[in-house]
Amino acid sequence: MRILTVNDDGIRSPGLAALVRAVSGFGEVWVVAPSEQCSGMSQKLSLFNEMPLREADFPVPVKGAWSLGGTPADCVKVALDHLLDFKPDYVFSGVNDGWNAGFDIAYSGTIGACYEAVMNGIPAIAFSARMKGELEIAERYMPELARELIDLGQKPGEIWNVNFPGGTLHDVRGILRERRIAPMQLYNGVFSSRVHPEGYKMLSQQGVPIGRGVAPEGSDIAAVLDGYISVGKIMSPVM
């Protein structure tokens, strides 16, 4: 299998290295990732700016690794249209620093890279974990879940979406499959402001996660907040 790995947290993200370690046993792996943090980019493309492209020293053995001064979707397009002389068998995106569940999926650069993949006829899986959390659970379960989901397959336009709970291996309560997207945001936007010396406001946004018991049972948000690994599907909005 020939695999393309991407993310939205940047080429140096520990989550990306964890993902590559997890899937390297499936075949040959290439990495194309943003040079900088690109969370919240969704499927945005860099249409009017030049994008620096550099070969990268990657901490895990791979066939090739590059950093791109662009978005996660840019990374997939550049890989397919410029860097690789073949079509990958699979695209894996993540491990994102922060859950991609509920309506927050709409903003995710991790998911945006997967949308770009399935638009090009390549199946994709997104992996995410609790923000600023340990990757112990993700590293333990990613290889077997990736193999399971590859074997199950997916229809054109479908993306497998996997979210790992926080804590240690001792804390994880199990795997919940066929989780539906919760009809709400996991992170509520809270704005703070300061006054610029020229008199106008400068706003900054911070996401505050909701608590347990708010999301409906059977949803992705309820699963991860209750300590389970959540597995579900997302459909490309254009397919």
Side-chain angles (χ1 to χ4, degrees):
M1 183 178 289
R2 295 185 291 188
I3 297 164
L4 172 64
T5 56
V6 298
N7 76 344
D8 72 2
D9 293 315
I11 188 75
R12 300 303 173 198
S13 166
L16 180 59
L19 172 61
V20 172
R21 281 193 294 271
V23 303
S24 60
F26 297 165
E28 299 175 336
V29 180
W30 283 259
V31 178
V32 184
S35 57
E36 306 293 339
Q37 171 61 249
C38 283
S39 292
M41 293 287 187
S42 188
Q43 205 173 346
K44 177 183 176 181
L45 299 178
S46 302
L47 297 179
F48 304 107
N49 301 307
E50 290 185 313
M51 296 179 290
L53 177 66
R54 298 181 176 91
E55 287 194 60
D57 292 325
F58 201 71
V60 183
V62 292
K63 295 293 288 185
W66 294 266
S67 70
L68 180 72
T71 69
D74 287 328
C75 290
V76 176
K77 290 186 76 69
V78 167
L80 300 184
D81 298 337
H82 180 73
L83 287 170
L84 305 181
D85 59 359
F86 60 88
K87 185 176 181 178
D89 299 300
Y90 240 95
V91 169
F92 295 105
S93 186
V95 175
N96 190 62
D97 183 24
W99 291 316
N100 281 307
F103 287 168
D104 293 278
I105 287 169
Y107 309 110
S108 169
T110 304
I111 303 297
C114 291
Y115 286 156
E116 193 64 40
V118 298
M119 280 174 50
N120 284 276
I122 304 169
I125 303 177
F127 295 98
S128 305
R130 187 179 69 178
M131 187 173 292
K132 308 303 180 186
E134 296 295 326
L135 292 168
E136 182 179 347
I137 296 173
E139 293 196 83
R140 162 63 179 81
Y141 285 95
M142 262 192 299
E144 65 182 70
L145 278 173
R147 173 55 62 194
E148 174 187 332
L149 300 180
I150 290 170
D151 290 344
L152 284 173
Q154 55 209 92
K155 297 176 183 177
E158 285 184 342
I159 297 159
W160 286 110
N161 187 35
V162 180
N163 285 278
F164 298 102
T168 66
L169 283 174
H170 177 74
D171 301 314
V172 65
R173 299 177 65 185
I175 303 171
L176 294 178
R177 296 168 175 83
E178 298 183 11
R179 296 302 93 182
R180 64 181 182 273
I181 299 170
M184 60 184 63
Q185 284 192 244
L186 173 57
Y187 301 99
N188 294 315
V190 176
F191 290 90
S192 59
S193 68
R194 65 178 179 85
V195 178
H196 190 272
E198 295 183 9
Y200 54 85
K201 284 186 176 181
M202 299 288 290
L203 297 178
S204 59
Q205 183 177 185
Q206 181 179 5
V208 179
I210 63 175
R212 291 181 61 187
V214 178
E217 287 299 316
S219 69
D220 48 8
I221 293 179
V224 291
L225 290 180
D226 286 340
Y228 291 92
I229 299 170
S230 171
V231 180
K233 283 182 179 178
I234 303 167
M235 190 69 190
S236 165
V238 299
M239 296 182 70

